[in-house]
Amino acid sequence: MRTPLLTSLVLVLLLLLPGPAQAAPGQDDVPEARPVQLDGLPGKAEWSAARVLPLGSEGSEILVQQFRGMLMLALRSDRAWTPRSSLTLWLCPAGPKADPTGPGAVRITYEPFEHDREHVVIWRAEATGGWKRLSGVAVARHAIRAGSSAFELALPLSALGLEKEQRPALRACIQWACMGGKSLIWPQGLNLAATAGKMPPDLASATRWGTLAGWGDPSGPGAFSKTDWSAMLARDREILEKGSSAHHAVNLLVEEWKKTKKRDKELVPQVLGALSDVRRHERLTAGDLLAMATTLRYLNRHAHARGLLDALVDHPNEAAAKLAWRERALLFESMQRYEDAAADWLHLAGLTGPQWGSAYKRAAARASERAEAWAEEAQTRKADEANAKLPRVALHTTHGVIEIVLYADDVPDAVKHFLELVGSKFYDGTLFHRVQGDYLAQGGDPKSRDQGLEHAGSGSSSKMVPIEMNKRHDFWRGAVGFARGVSDYNGSQFFMMTGPRPKLGEYTCFGHIVQGQHVADRLEYGDTLLKAVVVKR
C-alpha cells in the first residue's frame, strides 16, 4: 500500500515529465481562440489571436478564428459599406485537384442590409452534383457607419462540410464586392472580374487561393450556449420572415390585376407593421422605406407616403433615389398635383439615359396636359356643387358617410335610375366587392348581400338603362360612375374613384364626392354599404 508521501512524489514527477509532442500551429492554421460577444464590434481583445487576412487595401482586413467547433469571421475596415455590396467567401477542399465547384465546395455571401432576403446565404456543393442551400445556420451582426465597416459572423464548422474524422485543409478566397468602387480581394492579385458567359479564371481554379487549415472538432459544443444561439437564430428568422413577407406583398401590389381586393386590415400589419418590427432590431433600408411608401399610396394615405418619399429622393443610394423620384411622381398624379408630377418626371429624365429619359419626358408632358384639364374640371365641379337644383345622395358605410352630387343636367336618365334604386333601398346592405387602392371602390351588386362576396361581380338590378356619355365630366378622383359588363346598359353596380383615370372609357359619370373622400379612401374589400339615402336640401 502506497504511503501519502510516496503518492505525492509520484504526482510531482508526472507533472515535471514532458508531455506528448504537439505539432506547432502552421502558418495556414485558423487559431483556436476565445469566444466573442457577436455584437458586430470586433474588439482587439476578442480577436487578438485571430489570423489576419488583408483585403487588398490598408485599413481593411478579415479576421478568422475558431472556438469549440465554430468558425468566426470578422471584418474591420475604414471603408464605407455601400448599398448593394456584399462579401463572399469561397472554400473548397485543398489538394492537387482542388475544385471550387466540386464536392465539398462552399460559398458564403454576406449582405447586411436588405430585408427581402437572408443576410447570410450559404451554398454547399453536393457529392451527387448540384448545390444545396443551407439556411438558418449562421448568425451575423454588423456595425456599419458613414466612414467605416465592421461585422462579426459565426457558423458551425459542420456547415463547411467538415466532419469529426475528416477535417481537410480548405483553399479559400474572399471578395468584398463594393458597388460603385473597386472590389477588395484576398489573397491579393486574384482576378475575380466577371466575364461574359464565363467564370473568372481565379474562381474556376483554386490554385492561387489561400489556405485555411488546422480545424478543430466540428462536433464541439459551440462558441455560445444553446439558449443564446437558438435565440439569435430565432431573431434572425423572425426578421427574415417579416421582411420577405412585407416585400412580397408589395411586389404583388405592383401587379395591377392583383389589386382588386384592397384589405387594409391585412396589408397594414403585413407591410407597415412588419417593417416597423424589423426596425426594432435593424436599420431600415431605402428599399424598405420605398416598400412602405408604395403601400401607403395604395392605401390612399397620400400625406404619409409623401413624407417618406420627400426624404428618399435625396438618398445617397442613387438607384433608390431614382425609384423614389418615380414613386413620388406617381403619388403627385394620384393627388392630382400635376404640375409637381411634371417637375418630378423631368428631373427623373435628367437622371437617366436617353431610353428612359424620353419616356419620362413624355410622362411630364402628359402631366402638364392633365394639369390644364383638371383645372377646368375643378371649376365645373365647383359650379355643380353650387347648383341647388342638383340632387345629392348620402352613402352610409362602415367607415363613415360619403355625400355625392348627381349630374342630373348632364346624364338625366342615369341619375333618375340611380335615385330610383336608392329610394327602393336596393343598395342597403350590399358590399363593396371590388376595391383597388389608388383607383376605385365598387359595389351595388345584390348578390354580395344575398349570396356573399364569392358570388359578387355579375349581379345587377332587373331594370337597366342605356349608357349615357357625360360631355362635361371625366373620371377624376372622387368621380362616381356606373360599372358595366359586356352590355351597353347601366345596371346597379357603381364605383367611386380614389385615384384619377380621366380617360377611363365608355362609362357613365353621373356624380362626384362632395364630402367624405377620406371615407371612400378607407374602404376595403368586403366593407358594407349600410344604407343610401337622398339628402334633403
Side-chain angles (χ1 to χ4, degrees):
M1 183 175 180
R2 292 181 177 177
T3 64
L5 178 59
L6 179 61
T7 302
S8 299
L9 289 172
V10 171
L11 290 174
V12 169
L13 288 172
L14 289 173
L15 290 172
L16 293 175
L17 290 173
Q22 295 184 357
Q27 63 178 2
D28 293 333
D29 285 357
V30 176
E32 183 80 20
R34 64 183 66 189
V36 301
Q37 293 185 22
L38 205 63
D39 55 5
L41 296 168
K44 291 183 178 180
E46 294 176 313
W47 294 86
S48 60
R51 183 178 169 191
V52 179
L53 310 178
L55 268 181
S57 71
E58 185 177 353
S60 296
E61 58 188 18
I62 293 290
L63 309 174
V64 187
Q65 62 187 32
Q66 56 180 321
F67 183 69
R68 302 173 70 186
M70 187 165 282
L71 171 65
M72 291 176 286
L73 299 173
L75 167 71
R76 284 199 296 236
S77 177
D78 56 5
R79 181 173 182 170
W81 192 297
T82 56
R84 300 171 64 190
S85 298
S86 61
L87 187 141
T88 302
L89 167 64
W90 287 271
L91 300 161
C92 69
K97 297 182 179 180
D99 184 358
T101 62
V106 175
R107 184 173 73 246
I108 304 170
T109 299
Y110 177 61
E111 188 286 317
F113 293 134
E114 300 302 333
H115 295 113
D116 57 348
R117 69 200 75 171
E118 288 183 277
H119 290 325
V120 184
V121 178
I122 303 174
W123 292 93
R124 191 169 66 202
E126 299 291 279
T128 55
W131 293 78
K132 178 181 180 181
R133 180 167 179 167
L134 306 181
S135 296
V137 298
V139 172
R141 298 290 182 263
H142 68 262
I144 295 175
R145 300 181 176 90
S148 64
S149 302
F151 75 76
E152 295 175 317
L153 185 153
L155 74 160
L157 294 179
S158 57
L160 306 181
L162 302 177
E163 301 174 5
K164 187 172 184 179
E165 305 301 330
Q166 295 183 349
R167 290 174 264 167
L170 300 177
R171 302 305 300 271
C173 73
I174 301 172
Q175 180 185 34
W176 183 7
C178 304
M179 297 298 293
K182 182 181 178 181
S183 292
L184 304 185
I185 296 170
W186 176 85
Q188 297 183 38
L190 292 183
N191 179 11
L192 303 185
T195 306
K198 295 181 180 180
M199 184 178 290
D202 285 331
L203 283 184
S205 170
T207 56
R208 301 181 63 214
W209 293 11
T211 303
L212 300 178
W215 299 108
D217 185 354
S219 62
F224 308 91
S225 70
K226 290 184 178 179
T227 300
D228 290 345
W229 185 248
S230 297
M232 287 188 286
L233 289 175
R235 195 206 85 164
D236 289 359
R237 185 167 55 250
E238 179 186 9
I239 291 175
L240 172 64
E241 290 173 353
K242 290 187 174 182
S244 58
S245 174
H247 282 272
H248 178 68
V250 176
N251 289 338
L252 294 182
L253 288 183
V254 302
E255 300 180 39
E256 195 75 17
W257 64 276
K258 292 185 178 178
K259 291 184 178 180
T260 58
K261 295 181 179 179
K262 175 175 175 280
R263 291 184 170 103
D264 299 40
K265 288 186 288 290
E266 294 180 12
L267 198 60
V268 167
Q270 188 176 16
V271 177
L272 305 180
L275 291 177
S276 294
D277 288 343
V278 169
R279 184 185 294 173
R280 291 189 295 110
H281 301 289
E282 297 183 0
R283 183 179 64 185
L284 295 184
T285 67
D288 296 328
L289 298 176
L290 274 170
M292 296 176 75
T294 300
T295 302
L296 289 166
R297 179 167 67 86
Y298 172 73
L299 294 173
N300 307 315
R301 302 184 186 184
H302 299 153
H304 292 89
R306 170 81 188 277
L308 287 174
L309 294 170
D310 283 351
L312 283 171
V313 292
D314 294 322
H315 199 277
N317 181 343
E318 293 183 4
K322 289 177 183 178
L323 291 174
W325 281 103
R326 181 181 183 278
E327 183 65 28
R328 195 174 71 169
L330 293 172
L331 176 66
F332 280 141
E333 292 197 357
S334 297
M335 300 169 70
Q336 296 180 158
R337 294 180 53 169
Y338 289 108
E339 292 180 354
D340 292 326
D344 276 9
W345 288 125
L346 285 175
H347 182 87
L348 193 54
L351 296 177
T352 55
Q355 180 182 359
W356 287 104
S358 59
Y360 292 141
K361 288 179 181 178
R362 290 194 297 271
R366 181 194 63 197
S368 296
E369 292 175 0
R370 288 189 172 180
E372 296 180 7
W374 166 239
E376 183 178 344
E377 171 77 17
Q379 289 299 317
T380 305
R381 284 187 174 189
K382 187 176 181 180
D384 288 337
E385 291 174 18
N387 187 348
K389 296 181 179 179
L390 295 181
R392 297 193 180 197
V393 165
L395 307 177
H396 294 254
T397 76
T398 46
H399 291 278
V401 180
I402 302 166
E403 184 176 325
I404 60 178
V405 61
L406 306 179
Y407 303 143
D409 293 340
D410 301 293
V411 284
D413 292 340
V415 169
K416 179 181 178 182
H417 177 58
F418 184 71
L419 289 172
E420 288 176 351
L421 293 172
V422 170
S424 66
K425 301 186 182 300
F426 179 91
Y427 289 118
D428 295 3
T430 55
L431 308 178
F432 289 96
H433 64 274
R434 182 190 178 198
V435 185
Q436 185 166 335
D438 194 34
Y439 187 10
L440 56 77
Q442 182 171 322
D445 185 345
K447 287 185 177 181
S448 67
R449 176 188 54 220
D450 304 332
Q451 302 178 39
L453 287 169
E454 62 273 16
H455 298 286
S458 61
S460 180
S461 57
S462 57
K463 180 181 177 181
M464 307 180 79
V465 296
I467 291 175
E468 290 177 280
M469 299 306 297
N470 194 325
K471 297 180 180 180
R472 294 175 65 243
H473 293 279
D474 282 324
F475 286 96
W476 303 90
R477 177 169 154 82
V480 183
F482 273 117
R484 64 185 180 88
V486 296
S487 70
D488 292 330
Y489 288 83
N490 294 322
S492 61
Q493 291 190 41
F494 69 97
F495 56 86
M496 297 175 287
M497 304 298 293
T498 54
R501 300 292 193 280
K503 304 300 180 184
L504 188 60
E506 295 184 351
Y507 297 87
T508 301
C509 181
F510 65 88
H512 75 262
I513 297 171
V514 292
Q515 292 183 39
Q517 180 67 57
H518 67 286
V519 177
D521 291 341
R522 286 301 178 93
L523 289 174
E524 54 188 296
Y525 177 72
D527 279 341
T528 304
L529 174 50
L530 302 173
K531 63 179 181 178
V533 296
V534 176
V535 176
K536 303 296 184 181
R537 299 184 68 186

